[in-house]
Amino acid sequence: MEAMEDDSFDDHNHNYCASSGGGSSSSSSSSSKARTYPRSQLSDVTCPPVPGGEPATRRGKHLPSSTGSKFMDSDSGSESSEVSETDCTVPPTAEGKFSLDSTSKFLLNAMAVEDYRKNHWPNLEKAIDRLLIQNPTDHISVSYAQIYSYVYKCVCQQHSELLYHDLTMKITNHLQQVSTRLQASPPEDFIENFNVELTQYTASLQCIVPVFMYLNKFYIESKLNRDLREDLMKLFADHVAQIHVDTLMPLLLKAHSMPFQVQPSTMASVVKGLHSLRPDWAQLAPALFSGFIPQINPPAVESLLPDYAAHDQKLQLELSMNGFPRGDQSRKRASDDP
């Protein structure tokens, strides 16, 4: 019996050993005549039962065939109806890589998109609405950590493109409503109202862009080679500023020619905002933009110094004629010009 065990299985090398001699030969002769079968050839060898081993129903599953032959039960020699967990894997493709069935892929993707539509995006949409309509001086209770978590999950679940599309469409619809409100604004309040909308929008982006950081980093920057804030500011330029620039520019020129008709801070905010949206708009009114933004006009040249001095004197005269005196000149030094 011990000789049979030695002839049956080599446990150390995990190779099946079959004796070429009869069962009556000695163990020494059996060892010298034993043939060792590699694991890849086990499908062609009938494995006898091993005394004291595991049950045959379990041993029969550990003899896979390299040629695609069926599994054999070691006790009965019949085809085994049991299949191990490793045999239930996805079948390999022609390249040797495992892949899901196309129907399974479609169903998994549909379930993931449905989860995004029902759970993630509605919560994000509500938060974006609250951030877009808030005033800079108002305090709105918004869980930035929760928004950040929703965005993180969407990016990890391969919904970056869908999330970016929904975000830009949501903000585009909001900006179209802003443009409609500005169209109904009276001319005397147009500059002020435009400044309110621009200031509120830029303040909202200071909250929206950080919580969409993962979308910006792993999709917009890496795949689109753009920046989220620049894209959202471009939306304002396309859907609001571009539509109303022809109305806004004459009003700004008129207000600039009449000092303090519009608050200087409002004028500075609107002009600088227009320049940040589209720098080429400065060429529509260089004199206006140069009063708030440096290096709009060409560099000064020495030959034009008298012209610069005449321009400054004209400005001082206009200010004094509009009720802005130069102040008390009695303490001025005698050597100075009046």
Side-chain angles (χ1 to χ4, degrees), residues 282-329:
Q283 303 304 320
L284 300 177
L288 170 65
F289 281 81
S290 63
F292 301 94
I293 301 173
Q295 299 181 353
I296 295 297
N297 290 325
V301 293
E302 184 178 358
S303 59
L304 296 178
L305 288 178
D307 296 337
Y308 302 149
H311 180 270
D312 292 342
Q313 291 177 358
K314 179 182 178 182
L315 178 60
Q316 293 176 2
L317 180 61
E318 291 177 353
L319 290 174
S320 62
M321 292 177 61
N322 285 278
F324 297 96
R326 298 181 60 186
D328 187 11
Q329 302 292 321

mmCIF file of all heavy atoms in Angstrom, residues 282-329:
data_model
loop_
_atom_site.group_PDB
_atom_site.id
_atom_site.type_symbol
_atom_site.label_atom_id
_atom_site.label_comp_id
_atom_site.label_asym_id
_atom_site.label_seq_id
_atom_site.Cartn_x
_atom_site.Cartn_y
_atom_site.Cartn_z
ATOM 1 N N ALA A 282 -11.579 96.552 -24.966
ATOM 2 C CA ALA A 282 -10.949 97.822 -24.618
ATOM 3 C C ALA A 282 -10.724 98.698 -25.842
ATOM 4 O O ALA A 282 -10.674 99.935 -25.731
ATOM 5 C CB ALA A 282 -9.622 97.574 -23.905
ATOM 6 N N GLN A 283 -10.615 98.106 -27.007
ATOM 7 C CA GLN A 283 -10.403 98.893 -28.221
ATOM 8 C C GLN A 283 -11.663 99.630 -28.654
ATOM 9 O O GLN A 283 -11.591 100.534 -29.495
ATOM 10 C CB GLN A 283 -9.927 97.973 -29.353
ATOM 11 C CG GLN A 283 -8.661 97.208 -29.006
ATOM 12 C CD GLN A 283 -7.516 98.118 -28.606
ATOM 13 O OE1 GLN A 283 -7.318 99.188 -29.214
ATOM 14 N NE2 GLN A 283 -6.773 97.721 -27.590
ATOM 15 N N LEU A 284 -12.815 99.269 -28.080
ATOM 16 C CA LEU A 284 -14.041 99.992 -28.403
ATOM 17 C C LEU A 284 -14.062 101.374 -27.778
ATOM 18 O O LEU A 284 -14.694 102.286 -28.324
ATOM 19 C CB LEU A 284 -15.265 99.186 -27.930
ATOM 20 C CG LEU A 284 -15.442 97.793 -28.546
ATOM 21 C CD1 LEU A 284 -16.646 97.085 -27.921
ATOM 22 C CD2 LEU A 284 -15.616 97.911 -30.063
ATOM 23 N N ALA A 285 -13.385 101.539 -26.644
ATOM 24 C CA ALA A 285 -13.331 102.828 -25.950
ATOM 25 C C ALA A 285 -12.022 102.911 -25.177
ATOM 26 O O ALA A 285 -11.997 102.746 -23.953
ATOM 27 C CB ALA A 285 -14.534 102.999 -25.026
ATOM 28 N N PRO A 286 -10.900 103.157 -25.871
ATOM 29 C CA PRO A 286 -9.598 103.178 -25.183
ATOM 30 C C PRO A 286 -9.518 104.232 -24.094
ATOM 31 O O PRO A 286 -8.911 103.988 -23.040
ATOM 32 C CB PRO A 286 -8.611 103.475 -26.324
ATOM 33 C CG PRO A 286 -9.317 103.079 -27.575
ATOM 34 C CD PRO A 286 -10.760 103.353 -27.335
ATOM 35 N N ALA A 287 -10.120 105.400 -24.333
ATOM 36 C CA ALA A 287 -10.048 106.452 -23.316
ATOM 37 C C ALA A 287 -10.765 106.026 -22.035
ATOM 38 O O ALA A 287 -10.313 106.339 -20.924
ATOM 39 C CB ALA A 287 -10.669 107.740 -23.863
ATOM 40 N N LEU A 288 -11.868 105.306 -22.171
ATOM 41 C CA LEU A 288 -12.605 104.846 -20.996
ATOM 42 C C LEU A 288 -11.817 103.776 -20.248
ATOM 43 O O LEU A 288 -11.643 103.871 -19.024
ATOM 44 C CB LEU A 288 -13.957 104.295 -21.437
ATOM 45 C CG LEU A 288 -14.773 103.558 -20.377
ATOM 46 C CD1 LEU A 288 -15.184 104.507 -19.260
ATOM 47 C CD2 LEU A 288 -15.987 102.893 -21.004
ATOM 48 N N PHE A 289 -11.332 102.779 -20.945
ATOM 49 C CA PHE A 289 -10.634 101.676 -20.277
ATOM 50 C C PHE A 289 -9.293 102.117 -19.705
ATOM 51 O O PHE A 289 -8.864 101.588 -18.680
ATOM 52 C CB PHE A 289 -10.433 100.522 -21.264
ATOM 53 C CG PHE A 289 -11.660 99.683 -21.457
ATOM 54 C CD1 PHE A 289 -12.669 100.100 -22.324
ATOM 55 C CD2 PHE A 289 -11.824 98.485 -20.789
ATOM 56 C CE1 PHE A 289 -13.807 99.337 -22.516
ATOM 57 C CE2 PHE A 289 -12.967 97.713 -20.979
ATOM 58 C CZ PHE A 289 -13.969 98.138 -21.837
ATOM 59 N N SER A 290 -8.626 103.066 -20.353
ATOM 60 C CA SER A 290 -7.327 103.513 -19.849
ATOM 61 C C SER A 290 -7.448 104.259 -18.533
ATOM 62 O O SER A 290 -6.462 104.378 -17.793
ATOM 63 C CB SER A 290 -6.648 104.408 -20.891
ATOM 64 O OG SER A 290 -7.411 105.596 -21.114
ATOM 65 N N GLY A 291 -8.651 104.758 -18.220
ATOM 66 C CA GLY A 291 -8.836 105.438 -16.939
ATOM 67 C C GLY A 291 -8.897 104.480 -15.762
ATOM 68 O O GLY A 291 -8.788 104.902 -14.613
ATOM 69 N N PHE A 292 -9.074 103.181 -16.036
ATOM 70 C CA PHE A 292 -9.190 102.202 -14.958
ATOM 71 C C PHE A 292 -8.187 101.057 -15.071
ATOM 72 O O PHE A 292 -7.932 100.368 -14.076
ATOM 73 C CB PHE A 292 -10.609 101.599 -14.957
ATOM 74 C CG PHE A 292 -11.695 102.610 -14.771
ATOM 75 C CD1 PHE A 292 -12.325 103.175 -15.869
ATOM 76 C CD2 PHE A 292 -12.072 103.023 -13.504
ATOM 77 C CE1 PHE A 292 -13.333 104.094 -15.709
ATOM 78 C CE2 PHE A 292 -13.086 103.953 -13.330
ATOM 79 C CZ PHE A 292 -13.714 104.499 -14.434
ATOM 80 N N ILE A 293 -7.640 100.855 -16.255
ATOM 81 C CA ILE A 293 -6.732 99.729 -16.471
ATOM 82 C C ILE A 293 -5.440 100.269 -17.072
ATOM 83 O O ILE A 293 -5.478 100.998 -18.070
ATOM 84 C CB ILE A 293 -7.367 98.687 -17.417
ATOM 85 C CG1 ILE A 293 -8.672 98.175 -16.807
ATOM 86 C CG2 ILE A 293 -6.413 97.524 -17.665
ATOM 87 C CD1 ILE A 293 -9.455 97.288 -17.738
ATOM 88 N N PRO A 294 -4.298 99.941 -16.504
ATOM 89 C CA PRO A 294 -3.032 100.448 -17.043
ATOM 90 C C PRO A 294 -2.655 99.771 -18.357
ATOM 91 O O PRO A 294 -3.122 98.682 -18.672
ATOM 92 C CB PRO A 294 -2.024 100.119 -15.932
ATOM 93 C CG PRO A 294 -2.631 98.947 -15.216
ATOM 94 C CD PRO A 294 -4.115 99.141 -15.288
ATOM 95 N N GLN A 295 -1.817 100.459 -19.102
ATOM 96 C CA GLN A 295 -1.218 99.952 -20.337
ATOM 97 C C GLN A 295 -2.248 99.658 -21.427
ATOM 98 O O GLN A 295 -2.041 98.804 -22.283
ATOM 99 C CB GLN A 295 -0.392 98.689 -20.058
ATOM 100 C CG GLN A 295 0.757 98.924 -19.107
ATOM 101 C CD GLN A 295 1.576 97.673 -18.862
ATOM 102 O OE1 GLN A 295 1.215 96.591 -19.309
ATOM 103 N NE2 GLN A 295 2.680 97.818 -18.147
ATOM 104 N N ILE A 296 -3.344 100.388 -21.407
ATOM 105 C CA ILE A 296 -4.304 100.286 -22.500
ATOM 106 C C ILE A 296 -3.848 101.163 -23.668
ATOM 107 O O ILE A 296 -3.856 100.730 -24.829
ATOM 108 C CB ILE A 296 -5.710 100.693 -22.040
ATOM 109 C CG1 ILE A 296 -6.225 99.693 -20.997
ATOM 110 C CG2 ILE A 296 -6.667 100.772 -23.221
ATOM 111 C CD1 ILE A 296 -6.395 98.296 -21.504
ATOM 112 N N ASN A 297 -3.435 102.368 -23.345
ATOM 113 C CA ASN A 297 -2.931 103.272 -24.384
ATOM 114 C C ASN A 297 -1.503 102.902 -24.765
ATOM 115 O O ASN A 297 -0.813 102.196 -24.007
ATOM 116 C CB ASN A 297 -2.980 104.719 -23.889
ATOM 117 C CG ASN A 297 -4.401 105.231 -23.769
ATOM 118 O OD1 ASN A 297 -5.276 104.872 -24.560
ATOM 119 N ND2 ASN A 297 -4.650 106.082 -22.772
ATOM 120 N N PRO A 298 -1.033 103.357 -25.895
ATOM 121 C CA PRO A 298 0.363 103.104 -26.283
ATOM 122 C C PRO A 298 1.327 103.743 -25.285
ATOM 123 O O PRO A 298 0.961 104.672 -24.548
ATOM 124 C CB PRO A 298 0.479 103.762 -27.664
ATOM 125 C CG PRO A 298 -0.928 103.876 -28.155
ATOM 126 C CD PRO A 298 -1.781 104.070 -26.956
ATOM 127 N N PRO A 299 2.551 103.266 -25.209
ATOM 128 C CA PRO A 299 3.528 103.856 -24.284
ATOM 129 C C PRO A 299 3.761 105.341 -24.575
ATOM 130 O O PRO A 299 3.672 105.799 -25.722
ATOM 131 C CB PRO A 299 4.801 103.044 -24.542
ATOM 132 C CG PRO A 299 4.325 101.772 -25.169
ATOM 133 C CD PRO A 299 3.105 102.124 -25.950
ATOM 134 N N ALA A 300 4.013 106.116 -23.518
ATOM 135 C CA ALA A 300 4.265 107.559 -23.675
ATOM 136 C C ALA A 300 5.605 107.792 -24.376
ATOM 137 O O ALA A 300 6.557 107.032 -24.203
ATOM 138 C CB ALA A 300 4.271 108.243 -22.318
ATOM 139 N N VAL A 301 5.631 108.837 -25.173
ATOM 140 C CA VAL A 301 6.863 109.229 -25.865
ATOM 141 C C VAL A 301 7.196 110.668 -25.498
ATOM 142 O O VAL A 301 6.313 111.473 -25.186
ATOM 143 C CB VAL A 301 6.711 109.075 -27.393
ATOM 144 C CG1 VAL A 301 6.561 107.610 -27.767
ATOM 145 C CG2 VAL A 301 5.523 109.869 -27.902
ATOM 146 N N GLU A 302 8.448 110.988 -25.533
ATOM 147 C CA GLU A 302 8.895 112.303 -25.079
ATOM 148 C C GLU A 302 8.361 113.428 -25.955
ATOM 149 O O GLU A 302 8.057 114.526 -25.464
ATOM 150 C CB GLU A 302 10.426 112.329 -25.077
ATOM 151 C CG GLU A 302 11.018 113.619 -24.523
ATOM 152 C CD GLU A 302 12.524 113.580 -24.504
ATOM 153 O OE1 GLU A 302 13.095 112.539 -24.894
ATOM 154 O OE2 GLU A 302 13.137 114.586 -24.103
ATOM 155 N N SER A 303 8.182 113.177 -27.234
ATOM 156 C CA SER A 303 7.727 114.235 -28.141
ATOM 157 C C SER A 303 6.290 114.667 -27.862
ATOM 158 O O SER A 303 5.873 115.752 -28.296
ATOM 159 C CB SER A 303 7.860 113.768 -29.585
ATOM 160 O OG SER A 303 7.079 112.588 -29.800
ATOM 161 N N LEU A 304 5.519 113.832 -27.140
ATOM 162 C CA LEU A 304 4.112 114.155 -26.866
ATOM 163 C C LEU A 304 3.886 114.696 -25.454
ATOM 164 O O LEU A 304 2.740 114.831 -25.022
ATOM 165 C CB LEU A 304 3.241 112.906 -27.066
ATOM 166 C CG LEU A 304 3.196 112.344 -28.490
ATOM 167 C CD1 LEU A 304 2.338 111.091 -28.534
ATOM 168 C CD2 LEU A 304 2.667 113.405 -29.462
ATOM 169 N N LEU A 305 4.950 115.040 -24.742
ATOM 170 C CA LEU A 305 4.802 115.581 -23.386
ATOM 171 C C LEU A 305 3.951 116.846 -23.339
ATOM 172 O O LEU A 305 3.108 116.993 -22.435
ATOM 173 C CB LEU A 305 6.174 115.813 -22.761
ATOM 174 C CG LEU A 305 6.951 114.552 -22.352
ATOM 175 C CD1 LEU A 305 8.320 114.933 -21.786
ATOM 176 C CD2 LEU A 305 6.157 113.746 -21.329
ATOM 177 N N PRO A 306 4.116 117.800 -24.259
ATOM 178 C CA PRO A 306 3.234 118.984 -24.221
ATOM 179 C C PRO A 306 1.757 118.624 -24.384
ATOM 180 O O PRO A 306 0.899 119.247 -23.754
ATOM 181 C CB PRO A 306 3.740 119.843 -25.398
ATOM 182 C CG PRO A 306 5.165 119.437 -25.572
ATOM 183 C CD PRO A 306 5.183 117.984 -25.282
ATOM 184 N N ASP A 307 1.481 117.631 -25.214
ATOM 185 C CA ASP A 307 0.087 117.213 -25.380
ATOM 186 C C ASP A 307 -0.463 116.609 -24.093
ATOM 187 O O ASP A 307 -1.630 116.834 -23.737
ATOM 188 C CB ASP A 307 -0.025 116.204 -26.516
ATOM 189 C CG ASP A 307 0.353 116.805 -27.864
ATOM 190 O OD1 ASP A 307 0.276 118.045 -28.000
ATOM 191 O OD2 ASP A 307 0.730 116.029 -28.771
ATOM 192 N N TYR A 308 0.366 115.843 -23.378
ATOM 193 C CA TYR A 308 -0.080 115.273 -22.117
ATOM 194 C C TYR A 308 -0.382 116.370 -21.101
ATOM 195 O O TYR A 308 -1.392 116.311 -20.378
ATOM 196 C CB TYR A 308 0.989 114.324 -21.547
ATOM 197 C CG TYR A 308 1.361 113.178 -22.472
ATOM 198 C CD1 TYR A 308 2.645 112.640 -22.462
ATOM 199 C CD2 TYR A 308 0.427 112.625 -23.349
ATOM 200 C CE1 TYR A 308 2.994 111.589 -23.290
ATOM 201 C CE2 TYR A 308 0.760 111.584 -24.192
ATOM 202 C CZ TYR A 308 2.050 111.067 -24.160
ATOM 203 O OH TYR A 308 2.396 110.031 -24.998
ATOM 204 N N ALA A 309 0.472 117.397 -21.065
ATOM 205 C CA ALA A 309 0.256 118.494 -20.117
ATOM 206 C C ALA A 309 -1.023 119.251 -20.451
ATOM 207 O O ALA A 309 -1.793 119.628 -19.558
ATOM 208 C CB ALA A 309 1.459 119.431 -20.123
ATOM 209 N N ALA A 310 -1.268 119.474 -21.758
ATOM 210 C CA ALA A 310 -2.493 120.174 -22.157
ATOM 211 C C ALA A 310 -3.737 119.351 -21.800
ATOM 212 O O ALA A 310 -4.772 119.898 -21.392
ATOM 213 C CB ALA A 310 -2.453 120.460 -23.658
ATOM 214 N N HIS A 311 -3.636 118.052 -21.909
ATOM 215 C CA HIS A 311 -4.773 117.191 -21.556
ATOM 216 C C HIS A 311 -5.072 117.271 -20.061
ATOM 217 O O HIS A 311 -6.248 117.352 -19.637
ATOM 218 C CB HIS A 311 -4.467 115.751 -21.963
ATOM 219 C CG HIS A 311 -5.561 114.787 -21.642
ATOM 220 N ND1 HIS A 311 -5.620 114.112 -20.442
ATOM 221 C CD2 HIS A 311 -6.652 114.388 -22.355
ATOM 222 C CE1 HIS A 311 -6.690 113.339 -20.424
ATOM 223 N NE2 HIS A 311 -7.338 113.480 -21.581
ATOM 224 N N ASP A 312 -4.027 117.295 -19.244
ATOM 225 C CA ASP A 312 -4.231 117.394 -17.794
ATOM 226 C C ASP A 312 -4.837 118.739 -17.408
ATOM 227 O O ASP A 312 -5.718 118.819 -16.543
ATOM 228 C CB ASP A 312 -2.910 117.177 -17.060
ATOM 229 C CG ASP A 312 -2.412 115.746 -17.190
ATOM 230 O OD1 ASP A 312 -3.236 114.875 -17.531
ATOM 231 O OD2 ASP A 312 -1.205 115.504 -16.966
ATOM 232 N N GLN A 313 -4.386 119.808 -18.024
ATOM 233 C CA GLN A 313 -4.945 121.128 -17.723
ATOM 234 C C GLN A 313 -6.418 121.206 -18.133
ATOM 235 O O GLN A 313 -7.247 121.795 -17.420
ATOM 236 C CB GLN A 313 -4.141 122.209 -18.443
ATOM 237 C CG GLN A 313 -2.727 122.388 -17.896
ATOM 238 C CD GLN A 313 -1.936 123.420 -18.672
ATOM 239 O OE1 GLN A 313 -2.428 123.996 -19.667
ATOM 240 N NE2 GLN A 313 -0.694 123.661 -18.252
ATOM 241 N N LYS A 314 -6.741 120.606 -19.256
ATOM 242 C CA LYS A 314 -8.134 120.586 -19.684
ATOM 243 C C LYS A 314 -9.003 119.819 -18.691
ATOM 244 O O LYS A 314 -10.128 120.237 -18.369
ATOM 245 C CB LYS A 314 -8.221 119.956 -21.072
ATOM 246 C CG LYS A 314 -9.642 119.857 -21.619
ATOM 247 C CD LYS A 314 -9.651 119.185 -22.972
ATOM 248 C CE LYS A 314 -11.088 119.053 -23.496
ATOM 249 N NZ LYS A 314 -11.135 118.358 -24.818
ATOM 250 N N LEU A 315 -8.497 118.711 -18.175
ATOM 251 C CA LEU A 315 -9.243 117.936 -17.199
ATOM 252 C C LEU A 315 -9.454 118.729 -15.918
ATOM 253 O O LEU A 315 -10.560 118.731 -15.348
ATOM 254 C CB LEU A 315 -8.494 116.627 -16.905
ATOM 255 C CG LEU A 315 -9.112 115.706 -15.849
ATOM 256 C CD1 LEU A 315 -10.510 115.274 -16.273
ATOM 257 C CD2 LEU A 315 -8.206 114.497 -15.596
ATOM 258 N N GLN A 316 -8.431 119.431 -15.452
ATOM 259 C CA GLN A 316 -8.583 120.241 -14.242
ATOM 260 C C GLN A 316 -9.597 121.352 -14.445
ATOM 261 O O GLN A 316 -10.398 121.679 -13.548
ATOM 262 C CB GLN A 316 -7.226 120.822 -13.826
ATOM 263 C CG GLN A 316 -6.226 119.772 -13.363
ATOM 264 C CD GLN A 316 -4.868 120.375 -13.058
ATOM 265 O OE1 GLN A 316 -4.685 121.603 -13.157
ATOM 266 N NE2 GLN A 316 -3.903 119.541 -12.691
ATOM 267 N N LEU A 317 -9.592 121.977 -15.637
ATOM 268 C CA LEU A 317 -10.558 123.035 -15.928
ATOM 269 C C LEU A 317 -11.988 122.497 -15.929
ATOM 270 O O LEU A 317 -12.903 123.137 -15.392
ATOM 271 C CB LEU A 317 -10.220 123.671 -17.284
ATOM 272 C CG LEU A 317 -11.145 124.814 -17.750
ATOM 273 C CD1 LEU A 317 -11.104 125.983 -16.747
ATOM 274 C CD2 LEU A 317 -10.753 125.287 -19.138
ATOM 275 N N GLU A 318 -12.174 121.341 -16.519
ATOM 276 C CA GLU A 318 -13.506 120.742 -16.536
ATOM 277 C C GLU A 318 -13.992 120.422 -15.124
ATOM 278 O O GLU A 318 -15.171 120.633 -14.793
ATOM 279 C CB GLU A 318 -13.490 119.475 -17.392
ATOM 280 C CG GLU A 318 -13.300 119.739 -18.882
ATOM 281 C CD GLU A 318 -13.218 118.446 -19.682
ATOM 282 O OE1 GLU A 318 -13.174 117.365 -19.028
ATOM 283 O OE2 GLU A 318 -13.182 118.508 -20.928
ATOM 284 N N LEU A 319 -13.110 119.940 -14.278
ATOM 285 C CA LEU A 319 -13.505 119.634 -12.907
ATOM 286 C C LEU A 319 -13.878 120.891 -12.137
ATOM 287 O O LEU A 319 -14.864 120.912 -11.385
ATOM 288 C CB LEU A 319 -12.369 118.890 -12.185
ATOM 289 C CG LEU A 319 -12.090 117.458 -12.658
ATOM 290 C CD1 LEU A 319 -10.854 116.899 -11.964
ATOM 291 C CD2 LEU A 319 -13.298 116.572 -12.390
ATOM 292 N N SER A 320 -13.104 121.966 -12.328
ATOM 293 C CA SER A 320 -13.422 123.211 -11.621
ATOM 294 C C SER A 320 -14.724 123.828 -12.116
ATOM 295 O O SER A 320 -15.489 124.414 -11.340
ATOM 296 C CB SER A 320 -12.273 124.216 -11.794
ATOM 297 O OG SER A 320 -12.106 124.553 -13.174
ATOM 298 N N MET A 321 -15.036 123.664 -13.401
ATOM 299 C CA MET A 321 -16.278 124.201 -13.940
ATOM 300 C C MET A 321 -17.499 123.394 -13.474
ATOM 301 O O MET A 321 -18.617 123.897 -13.459
ATOM 302 C CB MET A 321 -16.228 124.200 -15.468
ATOM 303 C CG MET A 321 -15.214 125.188 -16.050
ATOM 304 S SD MET A 321 -15.129 125.104 -17.855
ATOM 305 C CE MET A 321 -16.818 125.558 -18.281
ATOM 306 N N ASN A 322 -17.275 122.181 -13.071
ATOM 307 C CA ASN A 322 -18.363 121.346 -12.590
ATOM 308 C C ASN A 322 -18.486 121.358 -11.074
ATOM 309 O O ASN A 322 -19.137 120.490 -10.494
ATOM 310 C CB ASN A 322 -18.161 119.901 -13.062
ATOM 311 C CG ASN A 322 -18.484 119.716 -14.539
ATOM 312 O OD1 ASN A 322 -19.643 119.566 -14.930
ATOM 313 N ND2 ASN A 322 -17.452 119.740 -15.367
ATOM 314 N N GLY A 323 -17.883 122.391 -10.432
ATOM 315 C CA GLY A 323 -18.051 122.544 -8.992
ATOM 316 C C GLY A 323 -17.020 121.839 -8.150
ATOM 317 O O GLY A 323 -17.286 121.562 -6.972
ATOM 318 N N PHE A 324 -15.879 121.525 -8.705
ATOM 319 C CA PHE A 324 -14.805 120.888 -7.929
ATOM 320 C C PHE A 324 -13.595 121.819 -7.916
ATOM 321 O O PHE A 324 -12.701 121.722 -8.760
ATOM 322 C CB PHE A 324 -14.421 119.540 -8.551
ATOM 323 C CG PHE A 324 -15.537 118.529 -8.537
ATOM 324 C CD1 PHE A 324 -16.350 118.362 -9.647
ATOM 325 C CD2 PHE A 324 -15.782 117.782 -7.395
ATOM 326 C CE1 PHE A 324 -17.381 117.450 -9.631
ATOM 327 C CE2 PHE A 324 -16.813 116.867 -7.384
ATOM 328 C CZ PHE A 324 -17.626 116.697 -8.489
ATOM 329 N N PRO A 325 -13.557 122.801 -6.960
ATOM 330 C CA PRO A 325 -12.438 123.752 -6.914
ATOM 331 C C PRO A 325 -11.147 123.050 -6.498
ATOM 332 O O PRO A 325 -11.162 121.947 -5.931
ATOM 333 C CB PRO A 325 -12.895 124.772 -5.876
ATOM 334 C CG PRO A 325 -13.834 124.026 -4.998
ATOM 335 C CD PRO A 325 -14.532 123.028 -5.880
ATOM 336 N N ARG A 326 -10.069 123.720 -6.748
ATOM 337 C CA ARG A 326 -8.769 123.159 -6.430
ATOM 338 C C ARG A 326 -8.445 123.281 -4.947
ATOM 339 O O ARG A 326 -7.457 122.741 -4.475
ATOM 340 C CB ARG A 326 -7.677 123.859 -7.250
ATOM 341 C CG ARG A 326 -7.850 123.673 -8.744
ATOM 342 C CD ARG A 326 -6.745 124.363 -9.516
ATOM 343 N NE ARG A 326 -5.425 123.842 -9.155
ATOM 344 C CZ ARG A 326 -4.281 124.341 -9.598
ATOM 345 N NH1 ARG A 326 -4.309 125.399 -10.414
ATOM 346 N NH2 ARG A 326 -3.134 123.832 -9.241
ATOM 347 N N GLY A 327 -9.276 123.990 -4.196
ATOM 348 C CA GLY A 327 -9.039 124.120 -2.770
ATOM 349 C C GLY A 327 -8.325 125.414 -2.431
ATOM 350 O O GLY A 327 -8.090 126.281 -3.287
ATOM 351 N N ASP A 328 -7.985 125.543 -1.161
ATOM 352 C CA ASP A 328 -7.320 126.749 -0.662
ATOM 353 C C ASP A 328 -5.891 126.814 -1.180
ATOM 354 O O ASP A 328 -5.091 125.906 -0.977
ATOM 355 C CB ASP A 328 -7.330 126.749 0.866
ATOM 356 C CG ASP A 328 -6.797 128.056 1.442
ATOM 357 O OD1 ASP A 328 -6.621 129.017 0.661
ATOM 358 O OD2 ASP A 328 -6.563 128.087 2.659
ATOM 359 N N GLN A 329 -5.564 127.900 -1.907
ATOM 360 C CA GLN A 329 -4.228 128.082 -2.476
ATOM 361 C C GLN A 329 -3.403 129.104 -1.691
ATOM 362 O O GLN A 329 -2.306 129.454 -2.116
ATOM 363 C CB GLN A 329 -4.353 128.546 -3.928
ATOM 364 C CG GLN A 329 -5.140 127.594 -4.822
ATOM 365 C CD GLN A 329 -4.410 126.287 -5.055
ATOM 366 O OE1 GLN A 329 -3.194 126.286 -5.216
ATOM 367 N NE2 GLN A 329 -5.157 125.195 -5.079
#
